[in-house]
């Protein structure tokens, strides 16, 4: 009597190559995007000095950093942005990140308030109520 063998069927196997490719692409994406976020917060601007204030240590909140140069140029995500586009850009970030989002304003110390006001209005129109200013301590000021 012959004993039946199941050698022809074999076990079902998964091809892991596509999954590994996707994982590597995700890793590269997050590395590049985190590098750009750090680079934006380190843009050389002479920040204003402040006597009061506190250092924010809550890194769990999503954050949009906007830089305002002395001449009023707005820089968001490393690109110049006209003030008219801020509401839709902030609204898109709010939809993507949810309600717990903060707008961090980094402006040159020579920037007049007239250049900061449109940014604050755009944030509130987009439904973002958490707005913070980047400043330095007086003893650290040049």
């Amino acid at each position: 009597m012959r004993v039946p063998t199941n050698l022809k069927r074999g076990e079902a196997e998964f091809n892991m190559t596509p999954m590994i490719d996707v994982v590597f692409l995700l890793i590269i994406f997050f590395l590049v995007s985190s590098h750009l976020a750090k680079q934006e917060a380190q843009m050389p601007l002479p920040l204003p000095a402040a006597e009061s204030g506190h250092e924010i240590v809550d890194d769990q909140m999503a954050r949009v950093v906007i830089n305002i140069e002395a001449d009023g140029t707005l820089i968001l995500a490393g690109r110049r942005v006209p003030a008219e586009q801020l509401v839709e850009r902030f609204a898109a970030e709010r939809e993507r990140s949810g309600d717990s989002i903060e707008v961090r304003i980094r402006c040159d110390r020579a920037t007049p308030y007239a250049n900061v006001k449109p940014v604050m209005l755009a944030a509130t129109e987009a439904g973002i109520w958490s707005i913070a200013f980047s400043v330095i301590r007086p003893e650290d000021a040049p």
Side-chain angles (χ1 to χ4, degrees), residues 24-56:
F24 280 129
L25 286 174
L26 286 172
I27 290 170
I28 291 170
F29 170 76
F30 287 118
L31 286 174
V32 169
S33 63
S34 69
H35 176 70
L36 290 176
K38 289 178 186 174
Q39 196 174 28
E40 184 174 280
Q42 295 171 353
M43 183 178 159
L45 276 176
L47 297 174
E51 293 289 331
S52 64
H54 60 280
E55 190 171 336
I56 298 174

Side-chain angles (χ1 to χ4, degrees), residues 56 63-64 102-106 129-134:
I56 298 174
R63 183 175 298 127
V64 177
E102 173 188 75
V103 172
R104 175 79 50 95
I105 299 174
R106 295 183 75 240
W129 301 103
S130 179
I131 300 173
F133 290 91
S134 293

Side-chain angles (χ1 to χ4, degrees), residues 21-107:
D21 289 344
V22 169
V23 169
F24 280 129
L25 286 174
L26 286 172
I27 290 170
I28 291 170
F29 170 76
F30 287 118
L31 286 174
V32 169
S33 63
S34 69
H35 176 70
L36 290 176
K38 289 178 186 174
Q39 196 174 28
E40 184 174 280
Q42 295 171 353
M43 183 178 159
L45 276 176
L47 297 174
E51 293 289 331
S52 64
H54 60 280
E55 190 171 336
I56 298 174
V57 293
D58 181 22
D59 271 342
Q60 301 301 323
M61 183 178 281
R63 183 175 298 127
V64 177
V65 179
I66 184 158
N67 295 294
I68 307 172
E69 294 180 345
D71 62 353
T73 304
L74 303 174
I75 299 174
L76 181 65
R79 295 190 183 107
R80 293 175 190 241
V81 174
E84 299 81 34
Q85 290 183 0
L86 284 179
V87 175
E88 63 188 50
R89 298 284 295 268
F90 287 160
E93 285 294 326
R94 183 172 176 257
E95 285 180 19
R96 191 163 40 125
S97 300
D99 288 335
S100 63
I101 187 169
E102 173 188 75
V103 172
R104 175 79 50 95
I105 299 174
R106 295 183 75 240
C107 61

Side-chain angles (χ1 to χ4, degrees), residues 124-139:
T124 55
E125 286 180 34
I128 300 172
W129 301 103
S130 179
I131 300 173
F133 290 91
S134 293
V135 295
I136 58 173
R137 294 182 181 103
E139 59 267 9

